[in-house]
Amino acid sequence: MLLGPIPRETRDLLGEGPVWVPERNRLFWVDILAPALNWLDLASGEVGRRPFHERIGWIIPRAGRSDFVIGLKSGFHLFDLDSGDITSIGDPEPDRPDNRLNDAKVDHAGRIWAGTKDDTDAAATGALYRLDPDLGWSRHDDHYQVTNGPTFSPCGTTLYHTDSGARTIHAFDLAPDGTLENKRLFLLFEDAWGYPDGMTTDAEGCLWVAHWGAARISRFDPAGQLMRQVTLPATNVTSMTFAGPDLSRMFVTSSADGLAHEPHAGALFEVDPGVCGLPPRAFAG
């Protein structure tokens, strides 16, 4: 059930990457095209926004630290929210200058899995990377039109990753050492469903998927069967996450780019998922 848009003055051109940080009691998400970082304080309802100098795809907290890892067009960086300091870790694709980092999540071992995409959507040059706690990275899959997701099974042994342009969600076996094997089709979107975008997993092991172009989010069981859908007043829905002390609240991002006629496009929405999420994980590096 839709509970409504969160009151705020700014609509996101391309809201993405929501992440719940319980230590700060804040939900963070990005506006890739602005570019900007947003946050919502769940206690006060206060909303903040910080502009960035280049496109930002995601933000992830570091375990036991006050700073974050962020994905910019120029690569992986460390970011101190309080001082504003940004320190480069490195660019995983210096040979693909038209690409940028697009979406990321942390696995059970504290590693970041992040996708890249062609920023012009012209070529299938996106890839899937793993950023390890020692700040080294490696490429594990390639030739995506638009990378999105990723998310993991509750036990951490399955990684789900999306090629939005191909309307496809893949599943991989994820080994303890971070190796991916047995890539397979998990779900192929029907045309009427739009395109699969961001994802998250709930405590029952079901996947929640945002539908770009179809104004909804959906819940699928581990076999890929549709369990539930929630309609939203925004055509391009981008991602979602669970939040709050008991992880029973869900927040959903959307895009206003090219949709000035939609009053709620680009809003941050809250919905009642009817189920709790998995505890958020921080980067171990």
Side-chain angles (χ1 to χ4, degrees), residues 30-268:
V30 301
D31 184 343
I32 296 175
L33 298 182
L37 171 67
N38 303 304
W39 59 86
L40 168 67
D41 187 293
L42 263 62
S44 67
E46 177 188 0
V47 177
R49 186 172 172 93
R50 181 196 186 278
F52 268 76
H53 64 287
E54 60 177 299
R55 292 186 174 184
I56 176 172
W58 45 265
I59 180 169
I60 288 174
R62 300 176 72 190
R65 299 172 182 262
S66 61
D67 60 345
F68 298 83
V69 183
I70 56 176
L72 300 179
K73 191 175 189 304
S74 56
F76 301 113
H77 297 261
L78 302 178
F79 170 62
D80 188 303
L81 178 63
D82 299 319
S83 69
D85 291 343
I86 298 174
T87 305
S88 175
I89 297 172
D91 180 2
E93 294 184 333
D95 57 329
R96 303 180 184 186
D98 292 330
N99 276 15
R100 65 166 174 83
L101 288 161
N102 190 53
D103 208 351
K105 290 278 185 9
V106 180
D107 70 13
H108 287 54
R111 301 167 296 218
I112 293 175
W113 292 86
T116 61
K117 67 177 290 290
D118 180 356
D119 211 9
T120 68
D121 295 324
T125 57
L128 177 62
Y129 293 87
R130 191 188 74 216
L131 180 66
D132 293 328
D134 65 1
L135 303 186
W137 61 83
S138 50
R139 184 183 298 171
H140 291 264
D141 203 16
D142 209 343
H143 308 300
Y144 286 77
Q145 294 181 42
V146 181
T147 58
N148 264 307
T151 193
F152 306 89
S153 61
C155 62
T157 59
T158 302
L159 179 150
Y160 302 94
H161 193 231
T162 295
D163 189 340
S164 296
R167 288 193 165 97
T168 301
I169 300 175
H170 302 288
F172 300 79
D173 294 337
L174 174 57
D177 66 357
T179 302
L180 291 184
E181 296 179 338
N182 188 27
K183 180 180 180 180
R184 58 200 180 273
L185 174 67
F186 173 73
L187 189 63
L188 181 64
F189 260 39
E190 301 174 8
D191 289 353
W193 293 1
Y195 299 85
D197 204 318
M199 302 187 291
T200 194
T201 311
D202 65 34
E204 297 178 359
C206 294
L207 265 65
W208 291 79
V209 184
H211 292 243
W212 177 277
R216 78 189 218 208
I217 59 174
S218 293
R219 183 183 189 232
F220 296 90
D221 71 13
Q225 296 300 308
L226 179 63
M227 303 287 288
R228 185 185 173 200
Q229 58 186 19
V230 179
T231 301
L232 299 171
T235 297
N236 292 336
V237 184
T238 57
S239 194
M240 76 292 289
T241 196
F242 290 91
D246 59 358
L247 297 166
S248 64
R249 301 175 70 179
M250 177 178 279
F251 293 91
V252 183
T253 53
S254 66
S255 171
D257 188 34
L259 297 172
H261 61 286
E262 291 188 10
H264 295 301
L268 175 72

